[in-house]
Amino acid sequence: MPMPHANTLNFSAGPGALPAAVLAQVRDAIAALPETGVSVLGMSHRSDWFLAILDEAERHVRHLLGLSDRYAVSFLQGGSSLLFATVPMNYATPAFAAPEYVVSGYWSARASAEAGRVGPHRIAWDGQRAGFRELPVLEQLDVDPRAAYLHYVSNETIEGLQFALPARPASVPLIADMSSDFLSKPIDAWHFGMIYAHAQKNLGAAGVTVAVIDRELLTRIPGGLPHILDFRTQIAHGSNYNTPPVFAIYVLTLITRWLRDDIGGLEQVQRINEGKAARLYAVLDEMSDAVTIHAKRPWRSQMNVAFTFGDARLDRAFLDTAEARGMSGLEGHRSLRGLRASLYNAVTPQAVEILCETLIEFALQRA
Amino acid sequence: MPMPHANTLNFSAGPGALPAAVLAQVRDAIAALPETGVSVLGMSHRSDWFLAILDEAERHVRHLLGLSDRYAVSFLQGGSSLLFATVPMNYATPAFAAPEYVVSGYWSARASAEAGRVGPHRIAWDGQRAGFRELPVLEQLDVDPRAAYLHYVSNETIEGLQFALPARPASVPLIADMSSDFLSKPIDAWHFGMIYAHAQKNLGAAGVTVAVIDRELLTRIPGGLPHILDFRTQIAHGSNYNTPPVFAIYVLTLITRWLRDDIGGLEQVQRINEGKAARLYAVLDEMSDAVTIHAKRPWRSQMNVAFTFGDARLDRAFLDTAEARGMSGLEGHRSLRGLRASLYNAVTPQAVEILCETLIEFALQRA
């Protein structure tokens, strides 16, 4: 049996696995782009080549999400951490009541804390006391109908919690940080006021963040913000106001091309992702005497599976076993410890199967 | 004669040329890093490998600039355009008089305009009326000694103007956007309160910005800024507060390694850069009947040479000639038009010689 390449056994929570076909194209593009003969790293952001890449990236995002003209798409820098500040700077104006935040894990807690540094905000739901193991139903939250917006994180990467998709538009604009489940399944984009997602999960290389914004929200932005922090700026300039992260946007374009052409779209990738997660959770459930899954069952994430053997030495022993077989990225986040397997789009069912077999053998040896 | 590769004939103002040796390493790292067996694009920013890269990048910057512990070094996102906003947000506090700005070209004008959106600022010098063809002497400017800082752009990429290095520390903290001449020559870093530079000129791939900050300035930052906009945050977290642009920082590390080991340091690269610029300006001066150099002689940039044959059709004809010989990136910026040759560290003397020969032949054919 050929040794699987380490890239295909990368379970990192991000930056994480990329499709082998994309890596091969990127590798060639570092030497010379087929279209220009120049390295992708040497291409001007004002070149016709890059303008076509920007255009293609936006078209793919629009096509995959089925976006109408009601939505603007732009590519930003700074990651979700910058958006945590700029979302309230752009939308939390005196014309509306304070924005509301769902605090359902480490990342949504950070988003909420940053909003609090920008101005007044209200916590619509807080799962911290219960240890971030469950989620609310968005539609049942008691949100002020005059609130500027309701913010949540659709998939909590660290705790392995994932919201069900909202069944309808919220009574106030719904803003979702989808960094760790963006483009992992179809969504009804028109239920959202804004969606943002940074790239190092399902979209490629760290350094670019996709923002999808209902144009109605853009009309609420106050004048006088620094241009670079005003969401209208990159939209007006086709994401080319200042030098964009050319390489990260190029990789994102290849990833979305792969999703459309090689995988066949979001319904197909959803089916694959559901199969991967179902297999891993089934194995862990079989081992429930020895293993604890952090998330309660209804809110288990299909992207990040956080679990532990209940003992730091056992977790370490499993990590060593997995690493000896070429797997990487299985350590839990430093805030929760334990283990975590991330099953992003580029992680293959075959890789998940190898992880599952390793888990089973590990458990049997210690039974 | 072997055909020179297109990457070596890239005169783009940025993103621009990278050293061939670095491109070869990056290409291999896309497939698998020698240290980990995993693609550089799949490496977690919390991995030991990346922590060592961050550490090495900082050490190289410190070594090349001869920085003492008085200075903090951090790696940011958002480019100079984000710094145009965050510099006044961090330092223009009521304890000081309004910050002062030198407006010497397109980019410093943008920096000044953004400062004006953050709060009061004063223009210490404005070269716009004179067409941005000359520069002031920093030490001779009439700056309020109580000003929060004096901001300037050390090399105006578009107009091809470059300041002489300041001869002594200014009476107020001097803040320099060195994006287009950072690490192109030795500097006395202790003359500066803060230096920042984005990566797509002499530092590699777009998407990361280096900031060098006198720690005394950090004590002036007001509380309450969003963490991601507060310069202390990334410094306190070793540039790993949120997911950094891993790939761009990796390339920066290779570039600084190349500068130190292959080139031999900043004095060596300065000598090479002086030689390249001297040769090109000499050729253009010989052609002074046909060619106009935008910058007046004392302020000619060694990084960006902006010139024109005085006629859009002639400029286009030269571009066509150069492109037919494998050269690229010679179009002037859309705001100034004409032609521009950027001579960053990675542009070889051999490439400049090919450009010069092409210029001479082009002029002879039309004489």
Side-chain angles (χ1 to χ4, degrees):
Chain A
M1 191 177 80
M3 178 70 180
H5 190 277
N7 283 326
T8 68
L9 296 174
N10 184 353
F11 296 94
S12 169
L18 276 86
V22 169
L23 285 179
Q25 284 174 275
V26 175
R27 182 173 170 277
D28 291 346
I30 295 291
L33 284 166
E35 302 89 348
T36 70
V38 171
S39 168
V40 61
L41 299 183
M43 289 304 299
S44 165
H45 60 300
R46 304 288 177 197
S47 63
D48 290 342
W49 173 81
F50 186 63
L51 296 180
I53 286 291
L54 273 175
D55 185 62
E56 184 181 346
E58 177 171 341
R59 273 190 290 113
H60 287 325
V61 170
R62 288 190 174 280
H63 170 79
L64 288 164
L65 296 180
L67 296 179
S68 71
D69 283 347
R70 176 176 145 188
Y71 288 90
V73 173
S74 68
F75 302 103
L76 306 171
Q77 289 191 65
S80 286
S81 293
L82 183 54
L83 273 291
F84 293 166
T86 50
V87 163
M89 290 170 85
N90 277 265
Y91 304 134
T93 63
F96 299 91
E100 308 224 5
Y101 279 74
V102 178
V103 176
S104 54
Y106 180 94
W107 287 109
S108 54
R110 269 177 69 161
S112 175
E114 287 306 305
R117 294 174 78 85
V118 173
H121 78 309
R122 187 177 161 260
I123 312 268
W125 189 87
D126 190 344
Q128 182 150 31
R129 276 206 196 163
F132 291 143
R133 304 169 77 99
E134 57 193 15
L135 296 174
V137 175
L138 288 176
E139 287 89 340
Q140 295 173 0
L141 295 175
D142 180 29
V143 175
D144 186 336
R146 297 164 304 147
Y149 57 83
L150 173 65
H151 182 279
Y152 82 116
V153 173
S154 61
N155 183 78
E156 290 282 4
T157 321
I158 291 173
E159 295 84 0
L161 296 161
Q162 189 171 26
F163 278 88
L165 285 168
R168 56 176 187 276
S171 54
V172 302
L174 186 61
I175 299 187
D177 175 353
M178 286 198 186
S179 292
S180 54
D181 64 357
F182 191 63
L183 300 191
S184 71
K185 61 184 178 184
I187 59 169
D188 289 319
W190 57 279
H191 292 173
F192 296 86
M194 175 168 173
I195 297 165
Y196 61 94
H198 58 242
Q200 61 268 22
K201 314 296 191 189
N202 283 318
L203 298 178
V208 63
T209 304
V210 180
V212 173
I213 309 180
D214 184 341
R215 293 184 196 277
E216 195 279 318
L217 273 179
L218 297 175
T219 65
R220 303 184 179 189
I221 301 173
L225 285 176
H227 283 115
I228 194 78
L229 302 178
D230 183 323
F231 292 144
R232 294 171 298 191
T233 301
Q234 292 291 7
I235 293 169
H237 290 83
S239 299
N240 216 348
Y241 167 70
N242 61 331
T243 311
V246 172
F247 178 77
I249 292 175
Y250 170 68
V251 177
L252 185 150
T253 304
L254 297 184
I255 293 274
T256 50
R257 219 188 261 174
W258 167 83
L259 255 179
R260 188 194 60 178
D261 299 341
D262 295 22
I263 299 294
L266 296 189
E267 287 179 16
Q268 281 68 20
V269 87
Q270 177 179 36
R271 200 171 310 138
I272 298 167
N273 286 334
E274 283 174 350
K276 285 153 37 184
R279 170 70 177 140
L280 178 56
Y281 281 118
V283 167
L284 293 173
D285 282 338
E286 281 285 323
M287 300 163 60
S288 62
D289 287 350
V291 165
T292 305
I293 297 170
H294 182 77
K296 290 192 184 172
R297 192 177 291 260
W299 301 283
R300 287 177 174 177
S301 167
Q302 296 197 337
M303 291 285 104
N304 311 96
V305 181
F307 64 101
T308 176
F309 284 96
D311 175 313
R313 277 185 313 176
L314 273 177
D315 287 342
R316 182 70 250 171
F318 176 73
L319 277 178
D320 291 342
T321 303
E323 283 169 11
R325 296 189 182 188
M327 286 170 260
S328 66
L330 286 161
E331 303 89 340
H333 188 266
R334 66 199 184 289
S335 68
L336 194 67
R337 307 195 182 274
L339 301 163
R340 174 173 49 168
S342 296
L343 310 179
Y344 299 130
N345 289 352
V347 174
T348 62
Q350 293 74 20
V352 175
E353 194 53 40
I354 292 172
L355 172 61
C356 289
E357 285 165 15
T358 307
L359 278 164
I360 292 165
E361 286 175 36
F362 182 81
L364 285 176
Q365 281 169 5
R366 272 156 188 80
Chain B
M1 191 179 78
M3 178 72 179
H5 190 279
N7 283 325
T8 68
L9 296 174
N10 185 352
F11 295 95
S12 169
L18 276 85
V22 169
L23 284 179
Q25 284 174 275
V26 175
R27 183 172 170 276
D28 291 346
I30 295 290
L33 284 165
E35 301 90 347
T36 71
V38 171
S39 168
V40 61
L41 299 184
M43 289 303 299
S44 165
H45 60 300
R46 304 289 177 195
S47 63
D48 291 341
W49 173 81
F50 186 63
L51 296 180
I53 286 291
L54 272 175
D55 186 62
E56 184 181 345
E58 176 170 341
R59 274 190 289 111
H60 288 323
V61 170
R62 288 190 173 282
H63 170 80
L64 288 164
L65 296 180
L67 296 179
S68 72
D69 283 346
R70 175 176 144 187
Y71 289 90
V73 174
S74 68
F75 302 103
L76 306 171
Q77 288 191 64
S80 286
S81 293
L82 183 54
L83 273 290
F84 293 165
T86 50
V87 162
M89 289 170 87
N90 277 266
Y91 304 135
T93 63
F96 298 91
E100 309 223 3
Y101 278 73
V102 178
V103 176
S104 55
Y106 180 93
W107 287 109
S108 55
R110 270 177 68 159
S112 175
E114 287 305 306
R117 294 174 77 84
V118 173
H121 78 308
R122 186 178 163 258
I123 311 268
W125 189 86
D126 190 344
Q128 183 152 27
R129 276 205 197 164
F132 292 143
R133 304 170 79 99
E134 57 194 13
L135 297 173
V137 176
L138 288 177
E139 287 88 340
Q140 294 172 1
L141 296 176
D142 179 29
V143 174
D144 185 336
R146 298 164 304 146
Y149 57 83
L150 174 64
H151 182 280
Y152 81 116
V153 172
S154 60
N155 183 79
E156 291 282 3
T157 320
I158 291 173
E159 295 83 1
L161 296 160
Q162 189 171 26
F163 277 88
L165 285 168
R168 56 178 187 275
S171 53
V172 301
L174 186 61
I175 299 186
D177 175 352
M178 286 197 186
S179 293
S180 54
D181 64 356
F182 192 62
L183 300 190
S184 71
K185 61 184 178 184
I187 59 169
D188 288 320
W190 57 278
H191 291 173
F192 295 87
M194 175 168 174
I195 296 165
Y196 61 95
H198 59 241
Q200 61 269 23
K201 315 296 191 191
N202 282 318
L203 296 177
V208 63
T209 303
V210 180
V212 174
I213 309 181
D214 185 342
R215 293 184 196 276
E216 195 278 318
L217 273 179
L218 297 175
T219 66
R220 303 184 179 189
I221 299 173
L225 285 176
H227 283 112
I228 194 77
L229 303 178
D230 182 323
F231 292 143
R232 294 171 298 191
T233 301
Q234 291 292 8
I235 292 169
H237 290 83
S239 299
N240 215 349
Y241 167 71
N242 61 331
T243 312
V246 172
F247 178 77
I249 293 174
Y250 170 68
V251 177
L252 184 149
T253 304
L254 297 184
I255 292 274
T256 49
R257 218 188 262 172
W258 167 84
L259 254 179
R260 188 194 61 179
D261 299 342
D262 294 22
I263 299 294
L266 296 189
E267 287 178 17
Q268 280 68 20
V269 87
Q270 177 179 36
R271 200 170 312 136
I272 297 168
N273 286 334
E274 283 174 351
K276 285 155 32 186
R279 171 70 176 139
L280 178 55
Y281 281 118
V283 166
L284 293 173
D285 282 338
E286 281 286 322
M287 298 162 64
S288 61
D289 288 348
V291 166
T292 305
I293 296 170
H294 182 76
K296 291 192 184 173
R297 191 176 291 258
W299 300 284
R300 287 176 175 178
S301 167
Q302 295 197 340
M303 291 285 105
N304 312 96
V305 181
F307 63 100
T308 176
F309 284 96
D311 175 314
R313 276 185 314 176
L314 273 177
D315 287 342
R316 181 70 251 171
F318 177 73
L319 276 178
D320 290 342
T321 302
E323 283 169 11
R325 296 187 182 190
M327 286 171 259
S328 66
L330 286 161
E331 302 90 340
H333 187 268
R334 64 197 184 290
S335 69
L336 193 67
R337 307 194 184 272
L339 301 163
R340 175 173 50 167
S342 296
L343 310 179
Y344 299 129
N345 290 350
V347 174
T348 62
Q350 292 74 22
V352 176
E353 194 52 39
I354 292 172
L355 172 61
C356 289
E357 285 166 15
T358 307
L359 278 164
I360 292 165
E361 286 176 35
F362 182 81
L364 285 176
Q365 280 170 6
R366 272 155 188 78

